[in-house]
Amino acid sequence: MTTARSQGLVSCHCCGLLQQLQTGKKGQRLHCDRCNSILHSRSPLSLTKSWAFSLAAIVMLIPANLYPIMEVNSLAGSSADTILSGTLYLIRAGQYPIAAVIFIASVAVPLLKLAGMALLLTTTQRRWQLNPRQCTTLYRMVEFIGRWSMLDIFVIAILMALVNLGQIADIIAGPASTAFLCAVILTMLAASSYDPRLLWDLQRDIPTTRETDPSTFTESDSASQAKESL
């Protein structure tokens, strides 16, 4: 499969200008002709950075789900709820649509996003021959829906600003809110650090129809393959 990279072309990550990648001296950085940004055919250390951010996000999700995310202090007493306990409270109160939104945005989306990133990273690292179009679509979905995981943080911020009645009633953010915020930011950084062009680089390893169909083999093909195997 012919690619821009195989033709010696590179697209600037800043302005998008497609240009010829000139050969420079060893260790010399090449710059874009239009915006003078540093050129690189693929994002440096893309897999390493994405794995690091993803693993860090998994670690932060543990306290985010175990500790209270919101604490309510009022004359009737104090209460603290985690993400799951708050969702169960809404279900018992009959607020099924709100409970569904909270569960999807705060529990399902972060987990599915991390699962999608793990699949993309493993596919690239293990060189699995999956459909690159479907993988690219998965990457775009992961990158798009990640920002909606901030719903809980927005709700807490709004409640803290509106419900501040001193000794009568007060709402403060729990320790899980900081961990959850860090987890969401780390998942967004993991998606932005991943270079989806690596998925298409794997297509150069997929055998063509001529190579996979034994009926199309000729003596010259067999001799050339025997030479390559040596």
Side-chain angles (χ1 to χ4, degrees):
M1 183 177 64
T2 303
T3 61
R5 189 180 189 184
S6 63
Q7 300 298 316
L9 299 174
V10 63
S11 177
C12 177
H13 72 282
C14 184
C15 67
L17 177 65
L18 185 65
Q19 54 198 293
Q20 190 73 29
L21 185 61
Q22 303 293 336
T23 303
K25 298 181 181 179
K26 185 177 181 180
Q28 180 182 2
R29 293 183 175 181
L30 302 178
H31 296 266
C32 176
D33 295 334
R34 180 160 61 187
C35 66
N36 203 36
S37 298
I38 298 176
L39 293 177
H40 41 73
S41 180
R42 297 293 181 266
S43 299
L45 301 176
S46 174
L47 295 180
T48 303
K49 291 186 289 187
S50 294
W51 270 121
F53 287 132
S54 298
L55 293 176
I58 294 175
V59 173
M60 296 305 298
L61 278 179
I62 297 175
N65 287 275
L66 293 180
Y67 291 101
I69 194 169
M70 184 174 63
E71 299 177 1
V72 179
N73 301 318
S74 63
L75 295 177
S78 300
S79 62
D81 287 310
T82 63
I83 297 176
L84 291 178
S85 66
T87 304
L88 294 176
Y89 174 80
L90 291 173
I91 293 176
R92 290 194 295 266
Q95 302 293 332
Y96 300 111
I98 300 177
V101 171
I102 295 296
F103 179 80
I104 292 174
S106 303
V107 179
V109 168
L111 293 178
L112 291 175
K113 183 176 181 180
L114 287 173
M117 284 303 306
L119 177 60
L120 293 174
L121 292 169
T122 306
T123 298
T124 307
Q125 195 166 19
R126 297 292 183 180
R127 308 190 70 81
W128 291 347
Q129 301 297 348
L130 301 182
N131 190 318
R133 289 187 180 275
Q134 295 178 357
C135 291
T136 304
T137 302
L138 174 62
Y139 168 75
R140 290 174 178 171
M141 292 175 60
V142 166
E143 189 179 32
F144 175 76
I145 65 176
R147 67 198 72 177
W148 299 105
S149 301
M150 298 289 288
L151 180 62
D152 263 2
I153 304 299
F154 289 150
V155 171
I156 294 174
I158 293 174
L159 290 176
M160 289 177 59
L162 295 179
V163 184
N164 187 8
L165 304 179
Q167 296 180 352
I168 300 177
D170 189 19
I171 295 179
I172 60 176
S177 59
T178 303
F180 186 79
L181 177 61
C182 293
V184 173
I185 294 176
L186 287 170
T187 53
M188 295 173 66
L189 290 174
S192 62
S193 299
Y194 180 73
D195 193 342
R197 294 174 295 183
L198 296 173
L199 295 168
W200 296 92
D201 291 340
L202 301 177
Q203 294 304 295
R204 291 181 297 178
D205 299 332
I206 296 180
T208 61
T209 304
R210 185 179 180 84
E211 293 173 337
T212 55
D213 188 1
S215 62
T216 60
F217 279 9
T218 62
E219 294 181 0
S220 60
D221 294 332
S222 300
S224 61
Q225 288 190 356
K227 184 182 296 183
E228 291 177 358
S229 63
L230 295 176

